[in-house]
Amino acid sequence: MNTAIPKVTLDHLSVRLAGNQILDDVTLTVEPHELVGIIGTSGGGKTTLLRAVAGLLPAAGGSVLLDGDEVLFPTPRIAMVFQQFGLFPWKTVRANVEYGLRVQGRADEGGGVDRLLEIMNLAHVARLYPHQLSGGMKQRVGIARALCVEPELLLLDEPFSSVDAITREVLQNEVLRLWERNRDMTGMLITHDIDEAILMADRIVVIDGPPGRVAMQVPVRIPRPRTPRGVRSHESYADLRDQLWSALQNGSHLERT
Ligand SMILES: Nc1ncnc2c1ncn2[C@@H]1O[C@H](COP(=O)(O)OP(=O)(O)O)[C@@H](O)[C@H]1O
Ligand SMILES: [Mg+2]
């Protein structure tokens, strides 16, 4: 692999939906094994950006590249976790998790599904259906389903925002540990929570819109492994938080004028 090529490149990407400009000339790169956090005001185009990266929306201008090759359609190399879980209600937990493998005609070699059910604390509910699970458990299934195909790029769209505060912290921690273990995965995480972005991300991108544009990018220079407490007491935390907060405020100010 040529390490000089970014894992993901958004090259002057514009997206139009129903005649409206939703993303305007977004240029952004993500390095291999980088986890990029994306924050911004609601309606700014964050979900649209992630859907375009996943090959679910066409570019009106510019392009999305994965390892330098244009992404024009969804690919099993990219997996997405949705805010509202997006599970199949008629499939069991196990069948939901296995789904990606089956679509690709792949067998579960080496018991990967069982291992994932174990890691995500789902083994004891493997035979249940989504409606029998709490929000936190449903999102565990969503994350396990995305991880099951061993994606090179994991896209997370506010994955912890539909669960209560305690479950959120547990899930954040589980994803952090998964992240630190899995060196082959690159990620993009949308969140509306500045603290979550600082806790999880290597770099934070502020999207301002509509139409969505990159307003600011800042690296998070806090060593891993991270914990919420360790991050909050790090010397760079307060300044970073202020910087992001004012970028978000400026964005909403621009929107009003
Ligand atoms: N399928 C669609 N057709 C038309 N407009 C859309 C569609 N999806 C999203 N939008 C519009 O695009 C803008 C950005 O939406 P979205 O990407 O969901 O923002 P965010 O995730 O930052 O809240 C919003 O104004 C929204 O109404
Ligand atoms: Mg969104």
Side-chain angles (χ1 to χ4, degrees), residues 42 44 46 57 69 94 108 114 116 123 165 204 233-234 242:
S42 181
K46 302 180 298 297
L57 291 174
D69 298 324
R94 169 177 268 283
D108 175 23
D114 282 330
L116 211 47
I204 300 174
S233 59
H234 192 268
D242 285 350

Side-chain angles (χ1 to χ4, degrees), residues 46-47 83 157-158 190:
K46 302 180 298 297
T47 295
Q83 178 178 356
D157 188 358
E158 302 203 21
I190 298 177

Side-chain angles (χ1 to χ4, degrees), residues 35 172-173 176-177 179-180 195-204 219-232 234 240:
L35 179 54
Q172 285 171 340
N173 186 52
L176 268 178
R177 303 291 88 88
W179 192 259
E180 285 152 7
D195 285 324
E196 180 171 289
I198 299 176
L199 172 67
M200 312 282 294
D202 297 305
R203 179 160 47 106
I204 300 174
V220 183
R221 300 187 204 283
I222 301 176
R224 297 180 189 272
R226 294 182 189 160
T227 60
R229 207 190 163 120
V231 164
R232 278 195 298 272
H234 192 268
L240 183 56

Side-chain angles (χ1 to χ4, degrees), residues 26-208:
V26 175
T27 291
L28 183 68
T29 56
V30 184
E31 299 307 316
H33 195 60
E34 193 179 21
L35 179 54
V36 167
I38 298 170
I39 62 173
T41 43
S42 181
K46 302 180 298 297
T47 295
T48 303
L49 187 144
L50 233 56
R51 295 187 68 215
V53 170
L56 295 166
L57 291 174
S63 54
V64 174
L65 310 174
L66 182 67
D67 286 335
D69 298 324
E70 194 163 359
V71 178
L72 295 169
F73 307 102
T75 155
R77 297 168 64 194
I78 304 176
M80 190 149 167
V81 176
F82 302 91
Q83 178 178 356
Q84 292 302 333
F85 321 126
L87 304 179
F88 300 113
W90 62 88
K91 287 182 188 284
T92 63
V93 166
R94 169 177 268 283
N96 266 284
V97 172
E98 277 177 340
Y99 173 77
L101 288 180
R102 292 201 182 272
V103 166
Q104 293 172 35
R106 282 163 58 184
D108 175 23
E109 284 154 15
V113 172
D114 282 330
R115 206 162 46 242
L116 211 47
L117 289 169
E118 205 66 54
I119 290 171
M120 295 304 294
N121 290 318
L122 291 166
H124 62 295
V125 296
R127 289 162 183 271
L128 299 187
Y129 289 84
H131 77 269
Q132 297 172 290
L133 306 179
S134 66
M137 292 300 259
K138 282 183 201 160
Q139 196 52 298
R140 283 203 172 87
V141 179
I143 295 167
R145 183 178 60 183
L147 292 173
C148 195
V149 296
E150 300 178 306
E152 295 165 46
L153 177 65
L154 182 65
L155 304 175
L156 301 146
D157 188 358
E158 302 203 21
F160 314 124
S161 59
S162 302
V163 300
D164 62 86
I166 293 171
T167 307
R168 181 177 317 146
E169 201 165 316
V170 171
L171 285 178
Q172 285 171 340
N173 186 52
E174 282 172 8
V175 171
L176 268 178
R177 303 291 88 88
L178 268 168
W179 192 259
E180 285 152 7
R181 269 201 306 269
N182 191 333
R183 304 296 308 173
D184 297 328
M185 214 159 47
T186 302
M188 299 172 80
L189 165 76
I190 298 177
T191 171
H192 60 252
D193 178 346
I194 295 181
D195 285 324
E196 180 171 289
I198 299 176
L199 172 67
M200 312 282 294
D202 297 305
R203 179 160 47 106
I204 300 174
V205 175
V206 180
I207 297 289
D208 182 23

